[in-house]
Amino acid sequence: MRGGGLLVAGTTSDAGKSVVTAGICRWLVRQGVKVAPFKGQNMSLNSFVTREGAEIGRAQAMQAQAARVEPTALMNPVLLKPGGDRSSQVVLMGKPVGEMSARGYHGGRQQTLFEPVLACLEELRATHDAVICEGAGSPAEINLRRTDIVNMGIARAARLPVVVVGDIDRGGVFAQFFGTTALLAPEDQELIAGYLVNKFRGDVTLLEPGLDMLHGLTGRRTLGVLPYAHGLGIDEEDGLRVSLRGTVRESVVAPPVGADVLRVAVCAVPLMSNFTDVDALAAEPGVIVRFVDRPEELADADLVVVPGTRGTVKALAWLRERGLADALARRAAEGRPVLGVCGGFQALGEHIEDEVESKAGAVDGLGLLPVRVRFAREKTLARPVGEALGERVEGYEIHHGVADVRGGEPFLDGCRVGAVWGTHWHGSLESDGFRRAFLREVAAAAGRAFVPAPDTSFGALREEQLDRLGDLIEEHADTDALLRLIERGAPKDLPFVPPGAP
């Protein structure tokens, strides 16, 4: 099968492309297929650092784990990290190459990246039996088709068959499938090989008349109806599209081991990055994690997390405007636990010099940790290993801020003062022994009779979730049809659906 491929597109953002791609990867690898994920261009604030020190989207790292391969920059050659409403940092082959407005990117820069993106895909295809590609947004964004390097642009250049995923939970999925196809040029329509319904609830026989009509209208079959699956906890692309206020992160539903639960409040700061850091906390029985944006929501929290952000200075202003800064200061004075991660760690410090990210110059931090931060133009990208609270810890670093720690107790690369901790390390809480030790410290400081479960393995839980995705594909998709597409490409007799692209 060497060099087979498939592009998973979506009728909308958040239709389920990432999880379907991961599910297909896990199903294939269980069949003995050497498979790799790929996304030519990703826009996300949730990123990861590969072993060679390259920054890629976390979704592609998750898909690589589903495929049981080591993630590399080849799997996500272009990453856009929004820094505001109008500009993003452009990361090429894992390294930042500058800031660019959306107009500037789509006006010319994007097209110059097409050849490197295609070369990465071809390199993966040369070394794997199959590459499962993920699109972005919708392939029917006709205003952006000319500069597209992630949907039909890459599909047409690499002759990839395309399966379109639609989220039926939102409603209107038949119109989405038909309209997506009908708005594409004939050359693009030749590659649209079928549809996948995602997040269906109920009796699938009630859906079948509509699927038959869709087949009659488009000449394309629906290759699966995937049921709504609760509690997957798989890494999302980003947190920009929806408000996270009040959102609860949960991976397992299990009673606490001790007498009490632990309540974790995560400040939903602007440009929040790598909020997946708290998923390891949510995986613990008896730990309740929610995102908040009001000071009164911190009152019953046993731990408050100030997460990473692509805008530390903007996050500081937001914390102050919302009254959360004062609430955090009161918590620190009372010895109630606070954890700052990356940008959140920087915000907890005394002083920031930023001529890079916000270009705001000198800015006072919250003063809860004896740390001064200077933003460097070169980004730190690393996979550190260390020890804290008597346990081995692994993490990854993605930041421009350089911290000068001037006191407190050492804590990873940061420090601790009383019940306030700060570190640049993302992912540290995925280290099971360290997470349990940290939660014991939090429970003691909070006065809670909470006991961490002795056997929770975050890695094992993630594997179970990825296997569930593989099961969804194996049990509810036409896997024979998917395999034919991967091996042979799109059928040659797919009809044109008018009117096509204008």
Side-chain angles (χ1 to χ4, degrees):
M1 187 200 292
R2 179 68 68 184
L6 178 72
L7 176 73
V8 178
T11 57
T12 63
S13 294
D14 206 29
K17 297 182 293 292
S18 295
V19 293
V20 167
T21 300
I24 294 174
C25 285
R26 178 48 60 100
W27 162 67
L28 283 171
V29 77
R30 294 195 307 207
Q31 311 309 307
V33 176
K34 185 180 180 183
V35 59
F38 177 81
K39 186 165 185 172
Q41 171 198 295
N42 198 350
M43 177 175 279
S44 180
L45 288 171
N46 280 344
S47 58
F48 181 76
V49 179
T50 67
R51 294 207 178 277
E52 72 266 32
E55 184 179 9
I56 66 172
R58 266 200 75 99
Q60 279 62 66
M62 176 268 292
Q63 291 160 357
Q65 185 177 350
R68 296 179 179 147
V69 294
E70 188 68 31
T72 74
L74 292 173
M75 297 171 185
N76 180 206
V78 179
L79 174 64
L80 306 178
K81 302 194 73 176
D85 293 335
R86 297 178 181 271
S87 68
S88 294
Q89 183 180 68
V90 181
V91 179
L92 177 61
M93 292 303 295
K95 304 297 181 184
V97 294
E99 297 278 337
M100 187 163 290
S101 68
R103 180 181 292 274
Y105 184 70
H106 290 287
R109 180 61 186 272
Q110 188 177 32
Q111 289 172 296
T112 68
L113 298 174
F114 184 73
E115 289 303 322
V117 166
L118 187 59
C120 289
L121 173 58
E122 293 308 317
E123 187 171 341
L124 286 174
R125 294 181 79 175
T127 54
H128 293 79
D129 299 330
V131 178
I132 307 303
C133 307
E134 180 188 344
S138 163
E141 291 167 351
I142 54 179
N143 56 315
L144 302 176
R145 177 61 185 89
R146 182 179 60 84
T147 58
D148 171 39
I149 65 171
V150 66
N151 290 307
M152 300 314 300
I154 197 76
R156 198 194 295 187
R159 303 309 299 170
L160 293 171
V162 179
V163 173
V164 181
V165 178
D167 179 358
I168 197 170
D169 203 48
R170 296 182 174 191
V173 75
F174 295 118
Q176 292 172 27
F177 285 142
F178 182 86
T180 297
T181 308
L183 276 177
L184 298 178
E187 297 83 358
D188 289 344
Q189 286 196 27
E190 289 175 1
L191 298 170
I192 302 295
Y195 310 114
L196 269 174
V197 175
N198 191 29
K199 298 183 183 178
F200 180 72
R201 309 170 192 249
D203 184 351
V204 74
T205 62
L206 299 177
L207 199 62
E208 288 172 353
L211 301 179
D212 291 340
M213 291 176 66
L214 182 67
H215 184 203
L217 289 166
T218 67
R220 291 153 175 89
R221 291 179 50 234
T222 298
L223 305 179
V225 177
L226 308 182
Y228 196 104
H230 292 274
L232 283 172
I234 296 295
D235 298 349
E236 285 117 326
E237 290 285 273
D238 58 62
L240 296 178
R241 288 188 301 272
V242 294
S243 169
L244 284 167
R245 184 181 169 320
T247 297
V248 176
R249 302 289 279 183
E250 62 177 1
S251 295
V252 293
V253 180
V257 175
D260 286 346
V261 298
L262 273 187
R263 294 173 175 84
V264 179
V266 184
C267 297
V269 296
L271 299 173
M272 181 164 47
S273 61
N274 289 64
F275 59 81
T276 48
D277 282 338
V278 300
D279 286 354
L281 295 177
E284 286 284 348
V287 176
I288 302 166
V289 177
R290 68 184 190 277
F291 291 84
V292 304
D293 62 3
R294 297 176 181 171
E296 57 268 25
E297 293 175 299
L298 306 190
D300 68 342
D302 302 305
L303 169 67
V304 174
V305 177
V306 187
T309 171
R310 248 281 276 160
T312 301
V313 171
K314 182 178 286 190
L316 266 171
W318 182 86
L319 290 168
R320 288 178 168 127
E321 290 164 3
R322 295 265 173 164
L324 288 159
D326 290 339
L328 289 168
R330 287 193 297 272
R331 287 186 68 88
E334 294 165 1
R336 302 177 67 200
V338 175
L339 171 66
V341 181
C342 201
F345 165 44
Q346 296 165 7
L348 297 180
E350 297 171 344
H351 186 77
I352 293 171
E353 289 285 342
D354 182 12
E355 298 293 349
V356 176
E357 191 175 77
S358 68
K359 299 181 173 58
V363 178
D364 287 334
L366 299 183
L368 305 186
L369 290 174
V371 176
R372 300 178 74 84
V373 177
R374 175 186 56 81
F375 276 70
R377 296 204 173 276
E378 187 168 341
K379 182 185 285 190
T380 296
L381 296 168
R383 289 278 293 270
V385 177
E387 184 177 303
L389 305 180
E391 300 286 347
R392 186 177 187 274
V393 188
E394 295 184 30
Y396 58 100
E397 295 183 66
I398 307 169
H399 54 92
H400 283 280
V402 178
D404 177 13
V405 179
R406 300 186 171 190
E409 300 175 43
F411 178 70
L412 300 176
D413 69 321
C415 65
R416 169 188 183 178
V417 174
V420 180
W421 293 266
T423 177
H424 274 129
W425 290 21
H426 294 291
S428 62
L429 294 167
E430 295 179 18
S431 297
D432 297 326
F434 167 70
R435 182 180 64 255
R436 287 191 276 270
F438 177 72
L439 288 175
R440 284 192 289 269
E441 294 257 349
V442 168
R448 294 285 187 188
F450 171 84
V451 178
D455 55 356
T456 300
S457 166
F458 184 75
L461 285 171
R462 176 50 55 89
E463 279 295 304
E464 289 174 15
Q465 291 165 336
L466 293 172
D467 275 330
R468 285 179 63 195
L469 291 180
D471 292 343
L472 287 175
I473 297 300
E474 186 168 345
E475 296 168 11
H476 300 282
D478 185 342
T479 52
D480 289 339
L482 289 175
L483 205 54
R484 282 195 300 273
L485 291 176
I486 292 167
E487 291 178 333
R488 305 175 193 170
K492 304 301 181 186
D493 56 351
L494 294 170
F496 172 71
V497 180

PDB file of all heavy atoms in Angstrom, residues 384-406:
ATOM      1  N   PRO A 384      12.064  19.303  28.540  1.00  0.00           N
ATOM      2  CA  PRO A 384      12.855  19.074  29.745  1.00  0.00           C
ATOM      3  C   PRO A 384      12.381  17.863  30.548  1.00  0.00           C
ATOM      4  O   PRO A 384      11.225  17.455  30.491  1.00  0.00           O
ATOM      5  CB  PRO A 384      12.636  20.368  30.541  1.00  0.00           C
ATOM      6  CG  PRO A 384      11.271  20.826  30.118  1.00  0.00           C
ATOM      7  CD  PRO A 384      11.155  20.466  28.678  1.00  0.00           C
ATOM      8  N   VAL A 385      13.311  17.344  31.316  1.00  0.00           N
ATOM      9  CA  VAL A 385      13.047  16.270  32.275  1.00  0.00           C
ATOM     10  C   VAL A 385      13.684  16.681  33.589  1.00  0.00           C
ATOM     11  O   VAL A 385      14.811  17.185  33.615  1.00  0.00           O
ATOM     12  CB  VAL A 385      13.640  14.924  31.800  1.00  0.00           C
ATOM     13  CG1 VAL A 385      13.413  13.838  32.854  1.00  0.00           C
ATOM     14  CG2 VAL A 385      13.047  14.504  30.466  1.00  0.00           C
ATOM     15  N   GLY A 386      12.970  16.509  34.688  1.00  0.00           N
ATOM     16  CA  GLY A 386      13.525  16.908  35.974  1.00  0.00           C
ATOM     17  C   GLY A 386      12.848  16.193  37.119  1.00  0.00           C
ATOM     18  O   GLY A 386      12.248  15.131  36.940  1.00  0.00           O
ATOM     19  N   GLU A 387      12.942  16.803  38.294  1.00  0.00           N
ATOM     20  CA  GLU A 387      12.355  16.210  39.495  1.00  0.00           C
ATOM     21  C   GLU A 387      11.727  17.305  40.328  1.00  0.00           C
ATOM     22  O   GLU A 387      12.263  18.419  40.439  1.00  0.00           O
ATOM     23  CB  GLU A 387      13.431  15.468  40.306  1.00  0.00           C
ATOM     24  CG  GLU A 387      12.872  14.741  41.521  1.00  0.00           C
ATOM     25  CD  GLU A 387      13.930  13.946  42.269  1.00  0.00           C
ATOM     26  OE1 GLU A 387      14.571  13.087  41.629  1.00  0.00           O
ATOM     27  OE2 GLU A 387      14.104  14.203  43.479  1.00  0.00           O
ATOM     28  N   ALA A 388      10.579  17.005  40.917  1.00  0.00           N
ATOM     29  CA  ALA A 388       9.911  17.930  41.839  1.00  0.00           C
ATOM     30  C   ALA A 388       9.054  17.120  42.796  1.00  0.00           C
ATOM     31  O   ALA A 388       8.488  16.086  42.408  1.00  0.00           O
ATOM     32  CB  ALA A 388       9.046  18.937  41.083  1.00  0.00           C
ATOM     33  N   LEU A 389       8.996  17.574  44.035  1.00  0.00           N
ATOM     34  CA  LEU A 389       8.220  16.890  45.084  1.00  0.00           C
ATOM     35  C   LEU A 389       8.625  15.417  45.193  1.00  0.00           C
ATOM     36  O   LEU A 389       7.815  14.546  45.506  1.00  0.00           O
ATOM     37  CB  LEU A 389       6.714  17.008  44.819  1.00  0.00           C
ATOM     38  CG  LEU A 389       6.175  18.438  44.650  1.00  0.00           C
ATOM     39  CD1 LEU A 389       4.670  18.407  44.401  1.00  0.00           C
ATOM     40  CD2 LEU A 389       6.502  19.290  45.873  1.00  0.00           C
ATOM     41  N   GLY A 390       9.913  15.160  44.905  1.00  0.00           N
ATOM     42  CA  GLY A 390      10.445  13.804  45.020  1.00  0.00           C
ATOM     43  C   GLY A 390      10.066  12.876  43.892  1.00  0.00           C
ATOM     44  O   GLY A 390      10.288  11.660  43.982  1.00  0.00           O
ATOM     45  N   GLU A 391       9.519  13.414  42.808  1.00  0.00           N
ATOM     46  CA  GLU A 391       9.059  12.578  41.699  1.00  0.00           C
ATOM     47  C   GLU A 391       9.667  13.051  40.376  1.00  0.00           C
ATOM     48  O   GLU A 391       9.926  14.243  40.182  1.00  0.00           O
ATOM     49  CB  GLU A 391       7.523  12.636  41.577  1.00  0.00           C
ATOM     50  CG  GLU A 391       6.771  12.149  42.804  1.00  0.00           C
ATOM     51  CD  GLU A 391       6.803  10.637  42.959  1.00  0.00           C
ATOM     52  OE1 GLU A 391       7.191   9.950  41.992  1.00  0.00           O
ATOM     53  OE2 GLU A 391       6.444  10.150  44.045  1.00  0.00           O
ATOM     54  N   ARG A 392       9.850  12.117  39.453  1.00  0.00           N
ATOM     55  CA  ARG A 392      10.354  12.443  38.118  1.00  0.00           C
ATOM     56  C   ARG A 392       9.252  13.157  37.328  1.00  0.00           C
ATOM     57  O   ARG A 392       8.080  12.793  37.406  1.00  0.00           O
ATOM     58  CB  ARG A 392      10.777  11.168  37.389  1.00  0.00           C
ATOM     59  CG  ARG A 392      11.444  11.398  36.032  1.00  0.00           C
ATOM     60  CD  ARG A 392      11.896  10.060  35.445  1.00  0.00           C
ATOM     61  NE  ARG A 392      12.679  10.235  34.224  1.00  0.00           N
ATOM     62  CZ  ARG A 392      12.150  10.357  33.006  1.00  0.00           C
ATOM     63  NH1 ARG A 392      10.831  10.331  32.853  1.00  0.00           N
ATOM     64  NH2 ARG A 392      12.924  10.511  31.949  1.00  0.00           N
ATOM     65  N   VAL A 393       9.668  14.176  36.568  1.00  0.00           N
ATOM     66  CA  VAL A 393       8.701  14.973  35.812  1.00  0.00           C
ATOM     67  C   VAL A 393       9.216  15.166  34.386  1.00  0.00           C
ATOM     68  O   VAL A 393      10.397  15.461  34.175  1.00  0.00           O
ATOM     69  CB  VAL A 393       8.489  16.373  36.450  1.00  0.00           C
ATOM     70  CG1 VAL A 393       7.336  17.097  35.754  1.00  0.00           C
ATOM     71  CG2 VAL A 393       8.233  16.265  37.939  1.00  0.00           C
ATOM     72  N   GLU A 394       8.332  15.012  33.409  1.00  0.00           N
ATOM     73  CA  GLU A 394       8.616  15.367  32.023  1.00  0.00           C
ATOM     74  C   GLU A 394       7.663  16.474  31.601  1.00  0.00           C
ATOM     75  O   GLU A 394       6.522  16.536  32.062  1.00  0.00           O
ATOM     76  CB  GLU A 394       8.429  14.158  31.095  1.00  0.00           C
ATOM     77  CG  GLU A 394       9.386  13.024  31.337  1.00  0.00           C
ATOM     78  CD  GLU A 394       9.195  11.908  30.325  1.00  0.00           C
ATOM     79  OE1 GLU A 394       8.793  12.208  29.178  1.00  0.00           O
ATOM     80  OE2 GLU A 394       9.438  10.749  30.686  1.00  0.00           O
ATOM     81  N   GLY A 395       8.150  17.352  30.715  1.00  0.00           N
ATOM     82  CA  GLY A 395       7.286  18.428  30.232  1.00  0.00           C
ATOM     83  C   GLY A 395       7.773  18.935  28.897  1.00  0.00           C
ATOM     84  O   GLY A 395       8.623  18.317  28.245  1.00  0.00           O
ATOM     85  N   TYR A 396       7.207  20.054  28.473  1.00  0.00           N
ATOM     86  CA  TYR A 396       7.681  20.711  27.261  1.00  0.00           C
ATOM     87  C   TYR A 396       7.491  22.214  27.417  1.00  0.00           C
ATOM     88  O   TYR A 396       6.585  22.681  28.115  1.00  0.00           O
ATOM     89  CB  TYR A 396       6.993  20.172  25.998  1.00  0.00           C
ATOM     90  CG  TYR A 396       5.487  20.280  25.969  1.00  0.00           C
ATOM     91  CD1 TYR A 396       4.855  21.304  25.273  1.00  0.00           C
ATOM     92  CD2 TYR A 396       4.689  19.340  26.605  1.00  0.00           C
ATOM     93  CE1 TYR A 396       3.479  21.401  25.230  1.00  0.00           C
ATOM     94  CE2 TYR A 396       3.307  19.421  26.558  1.00  0.00           C
ATOM     95  CZ  TYR A 396       2.707  20.447  25.867  1.00  0.00           C
ATOM     96  OH  TYR A 396       1.340  20.539  25.826  1.00  0.00           O
ATOM     97  N   GLU A 397       8.404  22.978  26.801  1.00  0.00           N
ATOM     98  CA  GLU A 397       8.414  24.433  26.937  1.00  0.00           C
ATOM     99  C   GLU A 397       8.197  25.108  25.593  1.00  0.00           C
ATOM    100  O   GLU A 397       8.805  24.721  24.592  1.00  0.00           O
ATOM    101  CB  GLU A 397       9.753  24.909  27.507  1.00  0.00           C
ATOM    102  CG  GLU A 397      10.044  24.443  28.915  1.00  0.00           C
ATOM    103  CD  GLU A 397      11.358  25.018  29.438  1.00  0.00           C
ATOM    104  OE1 GLU A 397      11.429  26.254  29.611  1.00  0.00           O
ATOM    105  OE2 GLU A 397      12.305  24.242  29.639  1.00  0.00           O
ATOM    106  N   ILE A 398       7.329  26.140  25.590  1.00  0.00           N
ATOM    107  CA  ILE A 398       7.043  26.948  24.401  1.00  0.00           C
ATOM    108  C   ILE A 398       6.848  28.380  24.886  1.00  0.00           C
ATOM    109  O   ILE A 398       5.754  28.743  25.334  1.00  0.00           O
ATOM    110  CB  ILE A 398       5.758  26.467  23.687  1.00  0.00           C
ATOM    111  CG1 ILE A 398       5.814  24.976  23.387  1.00  0.00           C
ATOM    112  CG2 ILE A 398       5.511  27.268  22.414  1.00  0.00           C
ATOM    113  CD1 ILE A 398       4.480  24.398  22.924  1.00  0.00           C
ATOM    114  N   HIS A 399       7.900  29.203  24.847  1.00  0.00           N
ATOM    115  CA  HIS A 399       7.729  30.566  25.372  1.00  0.00           C
ATOM    116  C   HIS A 399       8.846  31.491  24.899  1.00  0.00           C
ATOM    117  O   HIS A 399       9.968  31.047  24.634  1.00  0.00           O
ATOM    118  CB  HIS A 399       7.683  30.550  26.906  1.00  0.00           C
ATOM    119  CG  HIS A 399       8.855  29.868  27.564  1.00  0.00           C
ATOM    120  ND1 HIS A 399       9.988  30.541  27.946  1.00  0.00           N
ATOM    121  CD2 HIS A 399       9.060  28.564  27.891  1.00  0.00           C
ATOM    122  CE1 HIS A 399      10.840  29.679  28.492  1.00  0.00           C
ATOM    123  NE2 HIS A 399      10.306  28.473  28.467  1.00  0.00           N
ATOM    124  N   HIS A 400       8.503  32.775  24.803  1.00  0.00           N
ATOM    125  CA  HIS A 400       9.490  33.820  24.515  1.00  0.00           C
ATOM    126  C   HIS A 400      10.031  34.433  25.803  1.00  0.00           C
ATOM    127  O   HIS A 400      11.115  35.000  25.821  1.00  0.00           O
ATOM    128  CB  HIS A 400       8.863  34.929  23.660  1.00  0.00           C
ATOM    129  CG  HIS A 400       8.700  34.575  22.217  1.00  0.00           C
ATOM    130  ND1 HIS A 400       9.739  34.644  21.318  1.00  0.00           N
ATOM    131  CD2 HIS A 400       7.622  34.139  21.523  1.00  0.00           C
ATOM    132  CE1 HIS A 400       9.302  34.284  20.111  1.00  0.00           C
ATOM    133  NE2 HIS A 400       8.025  33.963  20.216  1.00  0.00           N
ATOM    134  N   GLY A 401       9.256  34.348  26.880  1.00  0.00           N
ATOM    135  CA  GLY A 401       9.659  34.961  28.138  1.00  0.00           C
ATOM    136  C   GLY A 401      10.782  34.196  28.821  1.00  0.00           C
ATOM    137  O   GLY A 401      10.735  32.971  28.932  1.00  0.00           O
ATOM    138  N   VAL A 402      11.803  34.915  29.267  1.00  0.00           N
ATOM    139  CA  VAL A 402      12.923  34.323  30.006  1.00  0.00           C
ATOM    140  C   VAL A 402      12.785  34.753  31.461  1.00  0.00           C
ATOM    141  O   VAL A 402      12.767  35.951  31.762  1.00  0.00           O
ATOM    142  CB  VAL A 402      14.278  34.786  29.439  1.00  0.00           C
ATOM    143  CG1 VAL A 402      15.424  34.196  30.245  1.00  0.00           C
ATOM    144  CG2 VAL A 402      14.392  34.401  27.961  1.00  0.00           C
ATOM    145  N   ALA A 403      12.658  33.789  32.361  1.00  0.00           N
ATOM    146  CA  ALA A 403      12.393  34.078  33.766  1.00  0.00           C
ATOM    147  C   ALA A 403      13.681  34.160  34.583  1.00  0.00           C
ATOM    148  O   ALA A 403      14.527  33.270  34.510  1.00  0.00           O
ATOM    149  CB  ALA A 403      11.473  33.017  34.357  1.00  0.00           C
ATOM    150  N   ASP A 404      13.810  35.226  35.343  1.00  0.00           N
ATOM    151  CA  ASP A 404      14.894  35.394  36.310  1.00  0.00           C
ATOM    152  C   ASP A 404      14.290  35.179  37.695  1.00  0.00           C
ATOM    153  O   ASP A 404      13.631  36.060  38.250  1.00  0.00           O
ATOM    154  CB  ASP A 404      15.487  36.800  36.176  1.00  0.00           C
ATOM    155  CG  ASP A 404      16.576  37.073  37.212  1.00  0.00           C
ATOM    156  OD1 ASP A 404      17.043  36.116  37.855  1.00  0.00           O
ATOM    157  OD2 ASP A 404      16.936  38.258  37.386  1.00  0.00           O
ATOM    158  N   VAL A 405      14.481  33.969  38.235  1.00  0.00           N
ATOM    159  CA  VAL A 405      13.894  33.605  39.527  1.00  0.00           C
ATOM    160  C   VAL A 405      14.800  34.102  40.636  1.00  0.00           C
ATOM    161  O   VAL A 405      15.979  33.741  40.700  1.00  0.00           O
ATOM    162  CB  VAL A 405      13.692  32.080  39.629  1.00  0.00           C
ATOM    163  CG1 VAL A 405      13.108  31.703  40.981  1.00  0.00           C
ATOM    164  CG2 VAL A 405      12.790  31.586  38.496  1.00  0.00           C
ATOM    165  N   ARG A 406      14.263  34.935  41.524  1.00  0.00           N
ATOM    166  CA  ARG A 406      15.086  35.611  42.538  1.00  0.00           C
ATOM    167  C   ARG A 406      14.765  35.197  43.966  1.00  0.00           C
ATOM    168  O   ARG A 406      15.109  35.916  44.910  1.00  0.00           O
ATOM    169  CB  ARG A 406      14.921  37.123  42.392  1.00  0.00           C
ATOM    170  CG  ARG A 406      15.344  37.628  41.015  1.00  0.00           C
ATOM    171  CD  ARG A 406      15.315  39.125  40.923  1.00  0.00           C
ATOM    172  NE  ARG A 406      15.919  39.603  39.677  1.00  0.00           N
ATOM    173  CZ  ARG A 406      16.202  40.876  39.425  1.00  0.00           C
ATOM    174  NH1 ARG A 406      15.935  41.803  40.333  1.00  0.00           N
ATOM    175  NH2 ARG A 406      16.754  41.216  38.272  1.00  0.00           N
TER     176      ARG A 406
END
